[in-house]
Amino acid sequence: MRQFVLIVTVLLLALVLWSQLNDSPLIPPQPRIIAVEGHGEFEVLPDIIRLHYNVSSLHDSDPAAAKAEVDKHASASVRALMKLGVKEEDITSSALDVSIQEDYNRNDGSRTRRHRVQRNVEAVLRDTGLYNKALQVLVDSGVSEISRIQPEVSNLDELKQKALADAARKAREQADFLAAQFDAEVAQVHQIGRQTIQPHFGMQEVMARASKDGDAPEPPIHDFKPAKVKISSNVFVEFELE
């Protein structure tokens, strides 16, 4: 019996001691946290432009005739681009697409089947100053469609880091501002959360008025330029307060 009482007493003392230690000031309190999100964004001019276009032809009965027409205009477009200074290795083409196109006439209910041949081509302009001239020679060479214009930057990784650094700087500025409103100061970083970086490659064109030569009666043409490339970044940061 005495042994049982002794064991219970020891357990009670241990429980009291543990409770006191748990509330001891030696254990550091939980840090005060302030959470902010920084956003960085800037725009740059593209130094690369990708032109996607296609040449297609329809023929009632002879796919070879349609292919010959496609080859003629596709080759003319490539020669025109190379004459401007576009390198041959920067002009690529997908496989030739040969298919049957069926048209339905609602008036008489008849159906017409024709052979359709198409070739898709991609040209990379590493000299953005050739942009307008390249568009013009493609139209002059008889391409069927300029399907996509994609501006790019060659130093995208560097620009992503720049946007991320800008977002981090603005996150710290927000944290300092908010902390000052409550008479506190920002200490060290507690945690860095999600990070997002988004390049926005616009397809919009910017119109700039060209200079007028002399007293020519004709109104000046317009010089179209590809839109700037936007790089944006968001970062979520938690700071400790002093």
Side-chain angles (χ1 to χ4, degrees):
M1 183 66 178
R2 292 180 179 179
Q3 186 177 4
F4 175 75
V5 173
L6 179 61
I7 293 175
V8 171
T9 302
V10 171
L11 289 176
L12 290 175
L13 289 174
L15 181 61
V16 172
L17 181 62
W18 178 85
S19 176
Q20 291 178 349
L21 289 176
N22 191 46
D23 295 332
S24 173
L26 296 178
I27 300 177
Q30 293 295 320
R32 296 182 300 164
I33 301 298
I34 182 172
V36 294
E37 184 173 8
H39 176 74
E41 180 178 294
F42 60 93
E43 294 181 332
V44 295
L45 290 171
D47 57 2
I48 296 175
I49 300 177
R50 295 183 184 272
L51 299 177
H52 300 261
Y53 66 93
N54 64 68
V55 182
S56 61
S57 179
L58 291 170
H59 196 279
D60 292 339
S61 58
D62 189 0
K67 179 181 180 301
E69 185 72 12
V70 167
D71 289 342
K72 172 185 174 183
H73 293 291
S75 298
S77 69
V78 171
R79 288 194 299 268
L81 289 173
M82 292 177 61
K83 188 175 181 179
L84 284 180
V86 181
K87 295 182 179 180
E88 185 176 4
E89 56 265 29
D90 285 333
I91 304 174
T92 57
S93 172
S94 64
L96 196 69
D97 181 26
V98 181
S99 60
I100 297 294
Q101 178 173 308
E102 188 173 277
D103 298 323
Y104 174 72
N105 191 326
R106 292 184 178 181
N107 295 326
D108 57 12
S110 63
R111 296 181 181 274
T112 303
R113 292 167 58 88
R114 294 187 292 176
H115 296 275
R116 185 175 187 272
V117 178
Q118 177 173 305
R119 183 179 294 279
N120 298 316
V121 184
E122 177 185 325
V124 181
L125 304 183
R126 303 190 185 278
D127 180 0
T128 57
L130 299 176
Y131 175 66
N132 283 281
K133 293 180 180 179
L135 293 181
Q136 188 61 54
V137 299
L138 289 178
V139 173
D140 294 341
S141 61
V143 303
S144 304
E145 178 187 20
I146 300 176
S147 56
R148 187 156 59 103
I149 300 172
Q150 181 180 352
E152 294 182 0
V153 287
S154 57
N155 60 334
L156 181 58
D157 290 339
E158 177 184 342
L159 295 176
K160 285 181 177 180
Q161 291 183 350
K162 180 180 176 181
L164 189 58
D166 189 37
R169 177 181 60 81
K170 291 182 178 178
R172 179 58 191 250
E173 290 177 353
Q174 289 189 48
D176 289 336
F177 175 78
L178 289 174
Q181 308 309 306
F182 300 95
D183 297 326
E185 292 186 2
V186 176
Q188 62 186 1
V189 174
H190 179 72
Q191 179 176 296
I192 300 177
R194 67 182 187 278
Q195 306 167 40
T196 59
I197 304 175
Q198 295 181 339
H200 306 273
F201 301 106
M203 295 174 60
Q204 178 184 1
E205 290 181 317
V206 178
M207 184 173 64
R209 183 174 296 277
S211 60
K212 187 175 181 180
D213 296 331
D215 298 325
E218 293 294 328
I221 61 173
H222 290 88
D223 180 26
F224 290 90
K225 298 179 180 180
K228 294 181 179 180
V229 176
K230 181 189 297 182
I231 311 292
S232 63
S233 175
N234 292 283
V235 60
F236 181 82
V237 187
E238 292 181 353
F239 294 94
E240 295 182 9
L241 295 177
E242 293 181 347

